[in-house]
Amino acid sequence: MYSDRALVIGAGFAGLLAARVLSESYGDVVLVERDALTTDAGHRAGLPRAHHPHPLPARGEQALEALFPRIGRELENAGAVRADLGSDCLHHFPAGPAPRDHLGLSVLSVTRVTLDRIIRRRVLRLANVSLVDGVTIDGLLHDRGAVTGVHGRRGDRPFTDYADLVVDASGRDSKLVSWLAELGVHCPAPRIVHGHVTCSSRLYEVNRDLELGWKNACEITHLPGTARGGAVSSVDGSRWLVTLFGAEGDPAPADDDGFLDHATSLRCQGIAEIVKTATPASAIHHAGTPRTRWNRFHQVPDWPRGLLAIGDSVVSLDPVHGHGLTVTALNCADLRALVREHDLAGEPLVFQRGRQGRQVPVDVRDDRRSRPGHQDTPAAEAPAAVVLRPGARGDSRQPAGLPRVRPRLAAGLPPGGPAQSGGAGPRAAGEEAQRTAPSGHSTVTGTPLDRA
């Protein structure tokens, strides 16, 4: 069994950020991904909502910059469009358009494919981070109350890998609750809020003859009077991403005629002008009714050692509001702080309990008010609206006497340890570094060109 090794399930946004954080204190970090990730990886089955907007607000960008310096500039160079939330964005509310004035707060409009590609490139440059793709995880390996690895399939061959810490970042389709049940660990029923809003999105080539006077626009739904809404954002430098919303009883359209009819019914006529005159650059992608699901892992007293959950595997937020990326980035910032002060492999609930404070304003205050599909949680069971900070031990209900700081950091070694100090130097463009895991499968450490 490896020592000082972390394994992350899922190489999406949450998994990539978690791998970046863990690379600072674990000697070897392996990303295990179900989809095949090629050099020109675009839309893939594991990210069905990548066709819809993924704005990055100022707070989310700030959290990303802390992990990836100058990531905002790199995204802009790749085509992301920066817009001031006041002067560059047109907001239509039921009472009318919002005043437009410079706020100094920006939002980066970028497609999810571009965002993931840039971050994946950054993460796979790290010498102690590697990727194994095409793997379906079927369950967890365990020993005496601790998770010791994963098992599954890679093509038609069995897959087994071991680690001191396993992080589930497999998204809203995570099977972690079932995997834990197989170990005899039972979780409370998830808390679910149904959004009752559908959306349809389509890319358009920018029509330079159409002078709109803004970069992004949004017209929100507001039941019971306003069941239709829409949004448009400038993405990838030369495209518009148009998304139409349909609230309860008036679903978003999935065909050309319905798309045009819905757009022309909005008060923001700029959206209709784009649909009428611009050239479509993609098919119409429809998403059913989204829901917010909160797996209350922090309430599991016998949570196994060696296991963390992050991102949509814990709480999958209604994507219509565009704050999921920011919440995940902030959770990874908390992970970065806590892993420096705690042995999270031995005390995982320090993180699982601490991170719940990020969700309270969304899942308790906002959605409790009037959603008919809301499944309530007694106030006594709701976590406090705070986040554990470094130095707060918390009640992990794990055996005492475990190391409080990662061994590599305690010894004063550089992040990544031997994996970054082997003397091999940077790899040439297009070159892949191969490793072999205990099971015999190979992992790949990428470069900017070979594993974009």
Side-chain angles (χ1 to χ4, degrees):
M1 176 176 173
Y2 280 121
S3 62
D4 205 23
R5 189 168 193 263
L7 184 148
V8 181
I9 305 172
F13 185 80
L16 291 169
L17 266 60
R20 166 65 183 88
V21 168
L22 295 174
S23 72
E24 297 180 346
S25 52
Y26 281 81
D28 194 15
V29 180
V30 178
L31 282 157
V32 180
E33 169 58 41
R34 180 179 60 185
D35 292 335
L37 295 178
T38 59
T39 301
D40 57 349
H43 291 284
R44 54 191 180 92
L47 289 175
R49 293 189 179 274
H51 296 282
H52 304 288
H54 282 80
L56 189 61
R59 187 66 182 91
E61 183 185 354
Q62 181 184 8
L64 276 185
E65 286 281 348
L67 294 174
F68 307 101
R70 299 174 298 280
I71 188 71
R73 178 175 298 178
E74 187 172 354
L75 287 169
E76 288 186 81
N77 291 338
V81 177
R82 185 179 300 278
D84 183 86
L85 281 173
S87 57
D88 295 329
C89 298
L90 185 63
H91 300 280
H92 274 270
F93 297 96
R100 294 177 61 189
D101 201 357
H102 184 74
L103 295 179
L105 289 174
S106 66
V107 59
L108 269 179
S109 297
V110 58
T111 60
R112 179 62 185 272
V113 169
T114 298
L115 178 64
D116 278 14
R117 184 176 67 249
I118 296 297
I119 294 178
R120 185 167 61 246
R121 182 180 298 170
R122 287 279 198 110
V123 171
L124 291 180
R125 288 177 185 172
L126 301 171
N128 61 329
V129 177
S130 54
L131 168 71
V132 187
D133 57 6
V135 177
T136 300
I137 301 298
D138 294 327
L140 304 172
L141 302 173
H142 64 101
D143 180 34
R144 291 172 292 183
V147 169
T148 59
V150 299
H151 67 87
R153 292 165 285 111
R154 192 181 192 194
D156 57 357
R157 300 181 61 182
F159 176 93
T160 304
D161 206 349
Y162 301 90
D164 300 284
L165 178 67
V166 173
V167 179
D168 179 40
S170 54
R172 63 176 60 233
D173 294 328
S174 169
K175 303 296 190 297
L176 184 56
V177 172
S178 299
W179 297 341
L180 288 172
E182 293 173 358
L183 307 184
V185 177
H186 300 287
C187 304
R191 185 174 182 182
I192 297 174
V193 177
H194 293 281
H196 302 288
V197 176
T198 60
C199 65
S200 294
S201 296
R202 189 175 212 175
L203 281 169
Y204 289 85
E205 300 291 348
V206 167
N207 181 356
R208 303 294 180 184
D209 296 331
L210 191 60
E211 297 182 3
L212 297 174
W214 41 261
K215 295 179 180 178
N216 298 337
C218 180
E219 182 172 332
I220 65 170
T221 59
H222 192 276
L223 292 177
T226 306
R228 290 187 174 189
V232 59
S233 53
S234 304
V235 296
D236 290 354
S238 60
R239 290 183 173 182
W240 284 311
L241 179 59
V242 176
T243 301
L244 303 180
F245 306 112
E248 212 170 17
D250 192 358
D255 61 281
D256 289 347
D257 292 340
F259 206 81
L260 177 59
D261 176 73
H262 188 116
T264 54
S265 70
L266 301 176
R267 287 179 293 175
C268 182
Q269 287 301 300
I271 298 177
E273 288 301 313
I274 292 173
V275 175
K276 288 178 182 177
T277 64
T279 303
S282 76
I284 296 173
H285 297 278
H286 181 77
T289 302
R291 66 176 186 174
T292 292
R293 185 195 64 191
W294 179 18
N295 284 317
R296 293 172 283 179
F297 294 144
H298 65 290
Q299 294 180 353
V300 181
D302 53 347
W303 184 267
R305 299 186 303 278
L307 176 67
L308 297 179
I310 199 167
D312 283 359
S313 66
V314 181
V315 56
S316 52
L317 299 173
D318 180 343
V320 169
H321 298 98
H323 53 302
L325 295 179
T326 296
V327 170
T328 296
L330 293 175
N331 291 156
C332 286
D334 293 334
L335 176 64
R336 191 184 198 186
L338 290 173
V339 78
R340 292 173 173 176
E341 296 290 331
H342 298 266
D343 175 24
L344 293 184
E347 300 179 291
L349 284 180
V350 170
F351 174 72
Q352 294 303 148
R353 288 179 174 170
R355 74 181 301 280
Q356 301 305 319
R358 294 286 187 195
Q359 319 310 333
V360 173
V362 174
D363 288 300
V364 176
R365 299 175 187 172
D366 293 347
D367 288 328
R368 176 176 291 177
R369 293 174 294 180
S370 59
R371 297 294 183 94
H374 174 66
Q375 300 172 8
D376 200 8
T377 299
E381 298 182 17
V386 296
V387 177
L388 270 176
R389 294 301 177 192
R393 182 176 181 84
D395 176 18
S396 68
R397 301 193 185 182
Q398 301 290 351
L402 294 169
R404 301 284 295 155
V405 184
R406 293 302 309 157
R408 190 168 308 284
L409 298 180
L413 297 175
Q420 290 186 353
S421 57
R427 288 177 298 278
E431 181 183 353
E432 293 183 346
Q434 296 286 340
R435 302 179 190 169
T436 302
S439 61
H441 67 264
S442 62
T443 64
V444 178
T445 298
T447 66
L449 297 179
D450 58 43
R451 302 295 292 182

